[in-house]
Amino acid sequence: PDRGKGLVALVNNDFKGVLFNAEATQIILKALKVTGIDANKFKSDFVAENIPQEEIVNMGYKNLVFDAFLPNRPEAMTNKGPLDPLAKFNRLVGGRVIEVSNELFARAENLISDHLPVFEPELFGAQGKIMDSWETVRHNLSGVDYQIIELKTPSVFNYCLISTKYHTGNFSPAIKLEGQRARENSWEEFLPLTKLAGHSELRLKLNQQTPPYSRVKVSMFPDGGLTRLGLYETIPSPEILSFLPISSAVPTRYQESVPATKKPLFINYQPGEKELKRNWATVKIGNLYNNASSALGATIVSASDEHYSPAILVISPFAPINMFDGMESARSRIPAHYEEVTIKLAKVAEVKAIELDFTYFVNNNPLEVEVQGLTQGQWVSLMPKTNVKPYAGNKILYHVNNTTMCEQVRLRAFPCGGMNRIRVLSVHQ
């Protein structure tokens, strides 16, 4: 439903309270005209028999309210590339995705498209960068994302093609494939856990022909992007020569480079001395100001990773305009890893509060963030390690209790991720 709209329904009761809250919520959601809900799916009754007492509340709200919420899916690919020459041999083409763990960045169905992938560097949507692939959100704590594809007809496989084209810092590191025979429930592994590389293609000859499968389960570890998957019984010559045994095949990087934007997708702002003085003249004595704004002279000292966009954007004085207008690192799966950016403040001052802006990072903001301040050569804590994942697409304002005078701030994002702006609030003396 609409981001930014919401309600709180509270009643002092048990099971009947669930019914009251659900009915009140339905009425209010309709009155607010919140989008993303099919009001025809709202229910007026809920049978709590044979449901454990501790599950009644959650199951009640799910049945009465949340089941009417529509899936939050990224945009469908409308601009498609040319037909894939191997599409007519790909047994996945014509199948349908019947289950997927996550597809918030890019739709699962793109993985089995019969067209070659395309990449438009300036194309962004509600979920972020629009990709012609299957891409899941960052920081999947379960360790695996998956989708299940029901084939058009049961098929056997001898060859496999896996593509991560156009995915550089966000590709899935590993994949496993399983098949399910008709009228059976068990899964049989036919491609063991296999490592992948970014913007590359892996062509494999399977160890042996599979039995006829009616469904295929694609598992990637732990998350990321997969562009295309092909499963073939036969491959035409001379293409067949490029499919190598699993034991010897390695990913081959595409010779084509990932297209870049023809113009910056952000406002490049670097004020001169006269403009800095004019900007400071607008800040009144005793008022809060953003001490980490480039408009007042703040600068970037260092940044550990600027894979997707330059760190200088987080100190821009302007409101962000898209996901590219911020600082974003590549995905990291290394335990205890973090990315950091160090900012020299416009003035040495006491930090009153820190605001982190994730407006356009709805699927890829950090899991946790901590902020430190540099005072007399020592780094002190301003904001302890804090879970910021729930603030995706939003802002968090953290009030600082430390009264030391800081000349720099250092933000660490665990394990990786992006944000649009960092604002450090001080009082103008």
Side-chain angles (χ1 to χ4, degrees), residues 154-290:
S155 304
V156 300
F157 314 129
N158 289 307
Y159 305 94
C160 173
L161 185 152
I162 307 167
S163 169
T164 60
K165 194 170 189 179
Y166 303 127
H167 285 280
T168 53
N170 54 348
F171 62 94
S172 175
I175 185 177
K176 180 178 74 173
L177 300 179
E178 298 169 280
Q180 189 179 82
R181 307 186 198 204
R183 296 180 295 279
E184 292 188 8
N185 295 322
S186 60
W187 291 98
E188 300 171 355
E189 180 181 283
F190 64 89
L191 180 67
L193 189 65
T194 302
K195 292 183 178 181
L196 304 176
H199 192 50
S200 300
E201 186 174 275
L202 183 61
R203 297 188 173 206
L204 304 168
K205 184 180 186 304
L206 301 178
N207 292 334
Q208 58 187 25
Q209 179 175 283
T210 69
Y213 290 132
S214 59
R215 292 179 177 178
V216 169
K217 183 176 183 179
V218 185
S219 299
M220 60 178 174
F221 301 85
D223 51 44
L226 292 174
T227 307
R228 293 291 187 270
L229 177 64
L231 291 174
Y232 316 93
E233 180 179 3
T234 59
I235 293 290
S237 297
E239 291 275 2
I240 195 171
L241 299 177
S242 62
F243 286 77
L244 303 178
I246 295 175
S247 59
S248 58
V250 294
T252 302
R253 189 169 179 84
Y254 289 103
Q255 292 184 347
E256 171 196 346
S257 60
V258 179
T261 57
K262 295 181 180 179
K263 57 183 179 180
L265 299 184
F266 53 86
I267 300 172
N268 190 2
Y269 178 70
Q270 295 178 327
E273 289 187 14
K274 290 184 179 180
E275 188 167 355
L276 287 174
K277 289 181 179 179
R278 287 198 299 268
N279 292 341
W280 271 111
T282 64
V283 182
K284 295 182 179 180
I285 299 295
N287 283 6
L288 285 172
Y289 68 97
N290 179 11

Side-chain angles (χ1 to χ4, degrees), residues 138-139 300 302-305 311 314 327-330 332 336-343 354-356 358 364-374 377-389 396 408-419 421-422 424:
R138 289 197 191 217
H139 314 137
I300 297 295
S302 63
S304 60
D305 188 303
V314 294
M327 175 186 69
E328 185 182 6
S329 67
S332 173
H337 182 85
Y338 61 83
E339 302 291 355
E340 70 177 26
V341 58
T342 302
I343 303 168
I354 296 167
E355 184 183 68
L356 306 179
F358 307 112
N364 50 349
N365 68 317
L367 191 63
E368 296 175 306
V369 163
E370 71 175 10
V371 181
Q372 300 171 327
L374 182 64
Q378 299 292 322
W379 289 102
V380 298
S381 177
L382 300 178
M383 175 180 173
K385 188 185 289 187
T386 302
N387 180 10
V388 297
K389 202 64 180 176
I396 176 174
Q408 295 183 17
V409 294
R410 180 170 67 188
L411 179 143
R412 287 177 172 172
F414 298 83
C416 58
M419 63 190 68
R421 299 289 185 267
I422 300 171
V424 178

